Amino acid sequence: PEEQGIMAEPGQVTSISVSKNSVHKLGPSYGNCTDDIIGKDRDIFVNKYPDVAYSRVGCMKTCYQRHVISFCGCFDAHIPTTDGTLFSDLPRVGVCRSKNIAEDDCKYMVHQRFILGELDCEERCPFPCSYADYTQQISSTTWPNRRYINETLRRLTPDTSVPLVETSLRDYRKNLLQI
């Protein structure tokens, strides 16, 4: 998962708790936040998905992509595009190719400058005034348990006239997941 996703693996029972906290800050008179999208190129995600609200993460990725295109003449394939034309003031470009040393080195340099805060993205992308913050707690353990494998398989097989296939517990754990 790209941002705040949760991954669960076979052979585990996973319990997930998610809590939502709604945050509402006072507007620009009291601090540097926004709920408005200023300029059509502010956020690739909003351009591509009009029903999506402004997010700082989306804006930061858009800003990073803008710099990759400006400096390198290609775009980072990890950031969504809007039908190949990302920004009205920049030329249409292709994906940065990892086999092209100049493009790959350039993209790496832009990424390093982005991570170090040397680009103008911090200023261009204020935090939103209203947003939802999610906290998650995750726990997991091996499943199915050796002692209860037969009971678990009976529960998973609705037709009791079908004989259960004899296989190892390891094989079941490769293919079963409980959330």
Side-chain angles (χ1 to χ4, degrees), residues 18-32:
V18 179
S19 300
K20 178 181 176 181
N21 182 29
S22 295
V23 178
H24 303 283
K25 297 179 180 181
L26 297 175
S29 301
Y30 301 94
N32 185 21

Side-chain angles (χ1 to χ4, degrees), residues 6-20:
I6 299 169
M7 296 181 74
E9 64 180 293
Q12 301 285 310
V13 58
T14 304
S15 297
I16 301 169
S17 168
V18 179
S19 300
K20 178 181 176 181

Side-chain angles (χ1 to χ4, degrees), residues 36-102:
D36 297 325
I37 300 165
I38 303 163
K40 70 182 181 98
D41 294 335
R42 185 75 180 271
D43 187 334
I44 287 174
F45 298 92
V46 174
N47 289 341
K48 191 168 184 174
Y49 308 105
D51 296 331
V52 173
Y54 169 80
S55 76
R56 186 163 196 264
V57 171
C59 183
M60 294 290 283
K61 288 182 178 189
T62 302
C63 182
Y64 162 75
Q65 186 76 287
R66 175 181 280 282
H67 285 287
V68 171
I69 292 169
S70 294
F71 289 118
C72 307
C74 57
F75 68 86
D76 188 333
H78 294 98
I79 308 294
T81 64
T82 52
D83 72 9
T85 308
L86 298 173
F87 304 101
S88 58
D89 60 330
L90 295 175
R92 188 177 186 153
V93 296
V95 67
C96 295
R97 297 164 294 180
S98 59
K99 290 185 178 182
N100 181 315
I101 294 171

Side-chain angles (χ1 to χ4, degrees), residues 140-161:
S140 63
T141 188
T142 303
W143 182 82
N145 184 302
R146 180 180 307 281
R147 295 173 115 181
Y148 299 103
I149 185 69
N150 290 331
E151 177 63 27
T152 301
L153 293 175
R154 271 194 288 282
R155 286 183 178 172
L156 294 174
T157 309
D159 185 356
T160 56
S161 65

Side-chain angles (χ1 to χ4, degrees), residues 102-114:
E103 288 179 355
D104 200 45
D105 285 351
C106 182
K107 187 178 76 164
Y108 177 80
M109 181 270 306
V110 171
H111 187 259
Q112 291 304 308
R113 290 187 62 205
F114 176 77

